[in-house]
Amino acid sequence: SAEILSWKDFSGKGAIQIGGERVLYDKIKEICKTKGLAISAVEKKAGLSNATLRKWNESSPSVDNLLAVSKVLEVSIEDLIEK
């Protein structure tokens, strides 16, 4: 089974991690690259402000924002947070 990122809290103070590494933004960036999408375009379509995704390696997004990004990228939330 896939290793799931730990979600320290839902208040935005923790960060989603894989194996102790903060990598949510890196995972999103990788998916964007394979789909030929710019990070800024994903942020805009998801209703997020500029540079929001970059901050997700330092703090956890809300569930609503994570869901919005997963919908734009046409992947599940699990795809975003699995190692």
Side-chain angles (χ1 to χ4, degrees):
S1 92
E3 181 179 346
I4 303 295
L5 299 156
S6 63
W7 201 312
K8 289 186 178 178
D9 63 42
F10 292 97
S11 68
K13 294 179 183 171
I16 296 177
Q17 302 180 356
I18 295 175
E21 296 179 32
R22 294 179 180 168
V23 295
L24 180 58
Y25 171 70
D26 298 327
K27 179 79 170 193
I28 292 169
K29 192 166 67 170
E30 176 185 313
I31 293 168
C32 286
K33 185 177 180 178
T34 62
K35 293 182 175 273
L37 298 170
I39 293 287
S40 58
V42 172
E43 289 171 330
K44 185 175 183 177
K45 288 180 183 179
L48 305 173
S49 59
N50 289 339
T52 297
L53 295 178
R54 189 174 317 128
K55 296 173 187 173
W56 287 5
N57 271 0
E58 300 302 320
S59 63
S60 295
S62 71
V63 173
D64 289 340
N65 287 347
L66 190 59
L67 182 59
V69 170
S70 74
K71 286 181 178 180
V72 170
L73 293 175
E74 298 177 338
V75 299
S76 68
I77 289 177
E78 290 81 10
D79 289 337
L80 295 178
I81 61 175
E82 283 181 356
K83 184 173 183 178

